[in-house]
Structures are given as structure tokens and as C-alpha cells.
Amino acid sequence: MQRVLTTAALLAAALPAWANQPANPTEMTEAARAMAGQMIRQLGGELQKQLAAGGPEAAISVCKDKAPAIAGELSRTSGWRVTRVSLKVRNPLLGSPDEWEQGALKILERRLAAGEKPETLEFAQIVDEPNGKVFRYMRGLVTAPLCLSCHGAPESIPDAVKARLTTEYPHDKATGYGAGMLRGGVSIKRPL
Ligand code: HEC
């Protein structure tokens, strides 16, 4: 038994933080934080790269294809549901928040307005749902200047990007942001 445990512990150490299925709220929050952090780092890096290489038009695919792909990959490998949501969505199909997510985003918005740093904007809770208890986690996504060529005021969005957004997202509500505002969040959910 001891040996099995040791092997399991070794395996767990080699795997990402969420792969050993933590059971208590603190560990689950840490695992969720690691997942959201990975997603934010990967996306930020890709965005910077594409913006530098081909400008905002070329970078659209990062927020459009890469973000759902990274979230999907994290969901598949962890068994937890990872998505990006917002109170003002560009893509209603993927980005619309449920009731808990709306509440969490509003809480984070208030905390940001009260002066909290973007890096610590997270909210976790264990919630009773009709199908049982679930762990829920929201990590805030705050706009940086590089987000504004696609999410800023009309005058900061290049015409070519505006044209694509109008065609591809006729119901786009995700413009008009300044830097340092809550654009949305990475939402993570795990049935218990
Ligand atoms: C080059 C254009 C571009 C840039 C730059 C950009 N986005 Fe986006 N963003 C998009 C597009 C397009 C979508 C719609 C994605 C989809 O189809 O699901 C989107 C969707 C989102 C969503 C999902 C919710 C929704 O509204 O549908 C979030 C959250 C988001 N972006 C945050 C950010 C943040 C934060 C930054 C800066 C770090 C950023 N974006 C930079 C184009 C961009």
C-alpha cells in the first residue's frame, strides 16, 4: 500500500496541479487558479505574438479560435469545465454567463472598482445545483491596452477589424472598453 501511495505521489508531482483531483476547497481553488493562469499566459503570449506579426486583424483568430481551443484542452485533460464568459459578450454562444457566473463577474467588477489588483481577482464557491454540489471558480480578465484594438472604443478599433467584427459578430456587445476594466472571466466548474 505504501508503495502504491508513493508511486501515486510521484506521478502526481509530475502532472499538472489539477490532475490529481484535489478534494478540499483550498486545493480546488489552487488547481483552478493554476488552470486559469495557464490559459491567461498562453493567450496573452499568443496575442502579443500575432499582434506584432500581423496586427489586430491577424490576431482575431487568437481570441476566436485559440481561446476556445485552450479552454477545450484544459477541460479535456482535467475533466473540469473551463470556459470564458462576459457580461457583455461578443460571441453569445460561447461567452454567455449563467446565473452564478453573472453574480461572480459583478462581484469581481465591484472589487476591481474598489481598487483591487487584477492579479488577485478570483472568486470561488461550492454551490448546490439540481444535480448535486459543484465547485465553481471565476478568475477576472482585465483589459490591457493590447485588448483595445478589438474591444475598445470605436475609434481605437481599426476599420478592417471593425468590418470583420460586424460581419462575424452581428450581436457584438464587447466593445467600448478602456484599459483596466473587467472584460470577463475564466470560469471553471467541477461536479463534486
Ligand atoms: C485581435 C482582436 C482581439 C484582441 C486583441 C482581443 N480580443 Fe477578445 N475577443 C475577440 C474575438 C473575435 C472574440 C470572440 C471569440 C469567439 O468567437 O468566441 C473575443 C472574445 C473575448 C472573450 C469571450 C467573451 C465574449 O465576449 O465572447 C473574452 C473574455 C475576451 N475576448 C477577452 C479579451 C482580453 C482580456 C483581451 C486582451 C488581453 C482580448 N480579448 C483581446 C477579439 C480580440
Side-chain angles (χ1 to χ4, degrees):
M1 189 63 200
Q2 185 56 39
R3 202 161 166 170
V4 173
L5 275 177
T6 312
T7 314
L10 277 173
L11 245 175
L15 289 166
W18 57 89
N20 58 359
Q21 297 301 326
N24 73 53
T26 311
E27 283 174 359
M28 286 192 288
T29 303
E30 280 166 7
R33 185 182 301 138
M35 267 190 253
Q38 176 169 332
M39 177 150 172
I40 291 168
R41 274 192 307 280
Q42 252 176 289
L43 270 181
E46 276 293 322
L47 259 185
Q48 253 162 0
K49 208 167 83 189
Q50 292 299 328
L51 282 170
E57 229 194 316
I60 287 181
S61 71
V62 178
C63 235
K64 183 179 176 204
D65 305 315
K66 263 270 146 98
I70 296 171
E73 167 95 40
L74 283 168
S75 297
R76 276 193 303 279
T77 53
S78 64
W80 303 19
R81 198 205 60 172
V82 184
T83 49
R84 265 186 339 169
V85 292
S86 174
L87 292 169
K88 282 171 48 179
V89 281
R90 173 153 291 165
N91 181 350
L93 181 67
L94 285 182
S96 297
D98 67 16
E99 205 180 329
W100 184 89
E101 288 165 333
Q102 286 176 33
L105 287 170
K106 284 179 190 154
I107 289 170
L108 296 185
E109 216 164 44
R110 278 199 294 275
R111 281 168 43 188
L112 183 66
E116 187 170 328
K117 288 201 178 68
E119 305 85 80
T120 59
L121 282 182
E122 64 175 6
F123 181 66
Q125 216 175 24
I126 289 175
V127 181
D128 274 315
E129 288 195 351
N131 291 332
K133 277 192 193 309
V134 289
F135 168 76
R136 307 220 51 178
Y137 174 90
M138 181 73 73
R139 165 76 200 266
L141 290 171
V142 175
T143 44
L146 73 90
C147 314
L148 304 185
S149 52
C150 298
H151 293 296
E155 57 275 18
S156 49
I157 305 178
D159 286 341
V161 172
K162 240 185 251 169
R164 279 227 6 223
L165 294 178
T166 313
T167 325
E168 293 187 31
Y169 303 96
H171 306 287
D172 188 10
K173 292 198 173 60
T175 57
Y177 288 88
M181 291 169 74
L182 191 76
R183 173 67 264 276
V186 177
S187 172
I188 298 178
K189 176 174 172 175
R190 178 198 182 189
L192 296 177

